């Protein structure tokens, strides 16, 4: 079960790992770049992942590998990507960014360069909103939130590559800048994806992933614990222990968990 080092993907993958291990599976959770995750699953080297952001964020990877992959379920239904700023920043739209270039130091702080959101920002947002002379800085999810924290502490203006679900929304007052040209799409969902032949080779796993669905509140509770220093595996264990009714709704009658 591979995942990309995003807060939501880490939390979701460890929840799935915890449930699968309780019903008898041995589960490895390698962390990969997005492109390698899609390619590895298409080739059958990875069984599944639960962090496919579609239809727009991962469009490039889906166009390349989608016909080789098995769609199992939309596990999170209200995902969103966009350029995020602190609530105190006095603009509300991407169209206003270029008018305040000095306030933002002509930069957008990004995440890992292989992330589909970064490709969209560079290829769509920059030309659409006249930001060709801005820097879109490659970093990582943790580095981006560290930079965001520093800027908020000093009440500085900052624009970052952001998304929901993520723990930062519970920690700080933030807002997405409006995207009137829909350069970043009109809304996302997160999908569970399997390798070719997963339904035939691993029918029990496939059925579980077809039922796996998680809410903002549930996912946020695990993300926050991880962000506050808890080991992901322990945070997932606590979630499963405290949400057996939800977890059992993902499982067959033969695999129901007990307290």
């Amino acid at each position: 079960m591979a995942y990309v080092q995003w807060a939501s993907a880490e939390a979701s993958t460890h929840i799935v790992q915890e449930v699968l291990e309780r019903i008898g599976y041995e589960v490895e959770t390698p962390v990969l770049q997005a492109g390698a995750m899609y390619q590895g699953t298409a080739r059958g080297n990875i069984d599944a992942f639960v962090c496919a952001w579609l239809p727009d964020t991962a469009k490039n990877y889906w166009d390349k590998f989608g016909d080789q992959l098995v769609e199992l379920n939309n596990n999170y239904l209200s995902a969103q990507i966009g350029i995020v700023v602190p609530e105190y920043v006095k603009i509300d739209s991407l169209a206003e960014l270029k008018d305040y270039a000095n306030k933002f130091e002509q930069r957008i702080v990004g995440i890992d360069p292989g992330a589909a959101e970064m490709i969209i920002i560079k290829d769509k947002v920059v030309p659409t909103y006249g930001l060709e002379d801005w820097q879109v800085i490659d970093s990582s999810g943790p580095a981006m939130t560290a930079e965001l924290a520093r800027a908020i502490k000093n009440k500085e203006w900052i624009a970052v590559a952001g998304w929901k679900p993520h723990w930062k929304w519970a920690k700080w007052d933030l807002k997405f800048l409006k995207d009137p040209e829909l350069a970043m799409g009109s809304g996302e969902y997160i999908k569970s994806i399997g390798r070719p032949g997963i339904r035939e080779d691993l029918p029990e796993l496939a059925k579980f992933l077809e039922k796996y669905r998680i809410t903002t509140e549930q996912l946020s509770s695990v993300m926050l614990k991880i962000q506050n220093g808890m080991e992901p595996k322990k945070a997932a264990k606590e979630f499963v222990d405290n949400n057996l009714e939800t977890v059992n709704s993902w499982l067959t009658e033969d695999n129901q968990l007990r307290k």
Side-chain angles (χ1 to χ4, degrees), residues 63-259:
D63 288 346
K64 190 171 183 179
F65 300 111
D67 61 351
Q68 303 165 60
L69 299 170
V70 177
E71 299 180 56
L72 296 169
N73 185 33
N74 296 340
N75 63 64
Y76 184 86
L77 302 178
S78 53
Q80 185 177 355
I81 63 169
I83 304 301
V84 172
V85 299
E87 188 66 46
Y88 58 74
V89 169
K90 303 297 185 187
I91 67 170
D92 295 302
S93 171
L94 290 173
E96 299 175 87
L97 274 175
K98 62 184 178 181
D99 297 327
Y100 294 88
N102 289 339
K103 294 283 283 184
F104 289 103
E105 298 180 349
Q106 288 184 277
R107 64 183 194 138
I108 296 169
V109 179
I111 52 175
D112 46 295
E117 182 176 4
M118 291 292 283
I119 297 169
I120 292 172
I121 291 171
K122 292 174 181 178
D123 292 352
K124 301 272 185 72
V125 172
V126 165
T128 298
Y129 292 102
L131 304 175
E132 288 85 355
D133 56 348
W134 284 49
Q135 285 183 287
V136 180
I137 299 171
D138 295 332
S139 63
S140 66
M144 176 272 290
T145 52
E147 186 76 3
L148 181 62
R150 184 201 60 77
I152 290 173
K153 182 179 179 180
N154 296 318
K155 285 287 184 178
E156 297 170 354
W157 285 32
I158 187 172
V160 304
W163 61 92
K164 281 185 177 180
H166 192 280
W167 57 264
K168 64 181 176 289
W169 297 94
K171 188 173 181 66
W172 299 300
D173 291 327
L174 305 170
K175 61 184 175 182
F176 281 111
L177 291 180
K178 294 175 184 175
D179 179 11
E181 302 298 327
L182 298 181
M184 302 193 77
S186 57
E188 296 284 277
Y189 48 81
I190 304 176
K191 186 179 284 290
S192 300
I193 299 292
R195 63 165 170 79
I198 190 170
R199 287 195 174 100
E200 294 75 26
D201 301 336
L202 296 166
E204 185 180 60
L205 172 63
K207 287 178 182 177
F208 165 69
L209 291 176
E210 285 170 347
K211 290 184 176 182
Y212 173 65
R213 181 172 289 177
I214 196 159
T215 67
T216 300
E217 182 181 4
Q218 291 165 343
L219 197 54
S220 294
S221 69
V222 180
M223 286 191 288
L224 274 172
K225 287 178 180 178
I226 295 171
Q227 171 57 22
N228 290 334
M230 186 178 288
E231 286 293 321
K233 196 159 181 57
K234 183 177 180 183
K237 180 182 184 303
E238 285 192 1
F239 174 85
V240 172
D241 287 341
N242 296 329
N243 293 273
L244 284 179
E245 184 176 349
T246 294
V247 171
N248 281 330
S249 73
W250 307 331
L251 296 169
T252 64
E253 288 187 14
D254 294 336
N255 286 323
Q256 297 290 290
L257 303 183
R258 302 285 184 263
K259 288 187 179 180

